[in-house]
Amino acid sequence: MAKGSVKILLLRRSSVMLLAGLLLTAGIFYAVNYPAAVRAAAAQRQLPIYSVERPGKLCAISFDAAWGNEDTELLIDILARYNIKTTFFVVGDWVDKYPQSVKALHDAGHEVMNHSNHHDHYNSLTAQQIMEDVTACNEKIAAITGVTPTLLRCPYGEYDDHVISAIRSLGMEPVQWDTDSLDWKDLDAAAITKRVCGKVEPGSIVLFHNAALHTPEALPGILEQLIREGYTIVPISQLIHWENYTIDHTGRQFPAQEDAA
């Protein structure tokens, strides 16, 4: 082989070895730093509140009201029987149809909070459209109760970062749930009771609906069992932390370390 050809071959081999070394170094760097990058991305993700870290056995019960109104008065009566105050998330269109029920909920001591104005899919709206929708519902509720909502439950439970950021930009807290009764599936009372009582833990937020078929039948037994187990049931605004908090990757809200000390 000619001397020039040998030099070219050696140069090519050197280049290949150099490239391989660079790729290996990059691979090691990626492997070492990837978990930290994932943790950082997770920490930056915008999440609503699913449950809350609190001392003692506190939990909250909530009802979404979007369409029907068959059982609202009955639910108010059942909750009054046990001296329980809860949180109702109502849609603006529902407020328009049933203003007397909104007033009855407020007069009975329950929180009337925001569940959007028209129950649209917030993920498909711009931040400005979301803020306008939330504000419209807030104004409807405040016109009846005299209180502007501070909590919001996203329609369909759907959200992404821009949705949560838009809600918090209004000074409101987005709230989900960690215990779904699935009452909207028309489960019977026994199944609803077993599901809820089997999932509730300290700091839980339970989801019901005001017009589900068997919720009024299941509710008394659920309340009685939770009370027997030592739970205190409070409205969501009394369960959550309003400042100096963190939210982990599961949506559980924790007080900041200085507050927890």
Side-chain angles (χ1 to χ4, degrees):
M1 182 180 293
K3 185 180 294 185
S5 298
V6 171
K7 287 183 177 179
I8 292 172
L9 180 59
L10 289 174
L11 285 171
R12 285 177 177 174
R13 285 180 179 176
S14 297
S15 298
V16 169
M17 291 178 67
L18 178 61
L19 179 59
L22 291 172
L23 289 173
L24 178 61
T25 302
I28 293 171
F29 179 83
Y30 178 81
V32 170
N33 289 279
Y34 176 71
V38 169
R39 285 194 297 271
Q44 293 170 2
R45 186 185 176 201
Q46 296 288 321
L47 288 174
I49 299 169
Y50 283 76
S51 64
V52 183
E53 185 70 17
R54 282 281 191 184
K57 299 184 75 172
L58 290 179
C59 68
I61 287 176
S62 64
F63 298 85
D64 287 0
W67 294 284
N69 193 36
E70 297 82 0
D71 299 320
T72 305
E73 289 295 334
L74 179 55
L75 293 172
I76 291 173
D77 292 342
I78 293 170
L79 293 166
R81 193 187 314 160
Y82 296 91
N83 195 29
I84 298 294
K85 307 302 181 188
T86 63
T87 305
F88 282 75
F89 290 95
V90 301
V91 171
D93 292 338
W94 191 87
V95 176
D96 292 337
K97 291 180 180 179
Y98 309 110
Q100 74 285 354
S101 290
V102 175
K103 186 177 187 305
L105 288 167
H106 174 72
D107 290 348
H110 301 290
E111 295 182 334
V112 182
M113 297 294 180
N114 194 317
H115 192 30
S116 81
N117 198 34
H118 301 300
H119 211 271
D120 293 324
H121 292 273
Y122 272 5
N123 287 11
S124 65
L125 302 182
T126 66
Q128 184 62 35
Q129 288 172 325
I130 292 167
M131 290 187 288
E132 290 173 357
D133 184 87
V134 171
T135 299
C137 184
N138 278 350
E139 290 174 350
K140 290 178 181 181
I141 294 169
I144 296 172
T145 67
V147 179
T148 300
T150 53
L151 303 175
L152 181 137
R153 176 164 287 156
C154 294
Y156 308 102
E158 295 177 353
Y159 64 88
D160 58 20
D161 284 0
H162 99 285
V163 172
I164 302 304
S165 294
I167 294 166
R168 288 201 168 112
S169 74
L170 295 171
M172 301 177 69
E173 280 296 340
V175 175
Q176 293 283 91
W177 59 87
D178 68 338
T179 302
D180 189 347
S181 68
L182 293 183
D183 57 354
W184 56 274
K185 288 188 172 184
D186 292 341
L187 299 181
D188 62 32
I192 294 172
T193 301
K194 181 179 180 181
R195 180 174 179 83
V196 171
C197 294
K199 288 181 174 291
V200 166
E201 60 181 19
S204 281
I205 298 172
V206 184
L207 170 64
F208 290 106
H209 295 80
N210 74 308
L213 190 59
H214 297 292
T215 297
E217 182 184 353
L219 188 58
I222 291 171
L223 297 177
E224 289 169 9
Q225 182 166 338
L226 292 178
I227 292 168
R228 280 198 307 271
E229 293 178 1
Y231 280 95
T232 299
I233 302 168
V234 298
I236 292 174
S237 70
Q238 296 179 26
L239 180 70
I240 69 173
H241 305 283
W242 282 98
E243 55 186 19
N244 300 324
Y245 65 80
T246 60
I247 297 177
D248 72 9
H249 68 284
T250 70
R252 189 165 180 86
Q253 187 194 44
F254 292 81
Q257 288 302 313
E258 59 268 25
D259 292 344

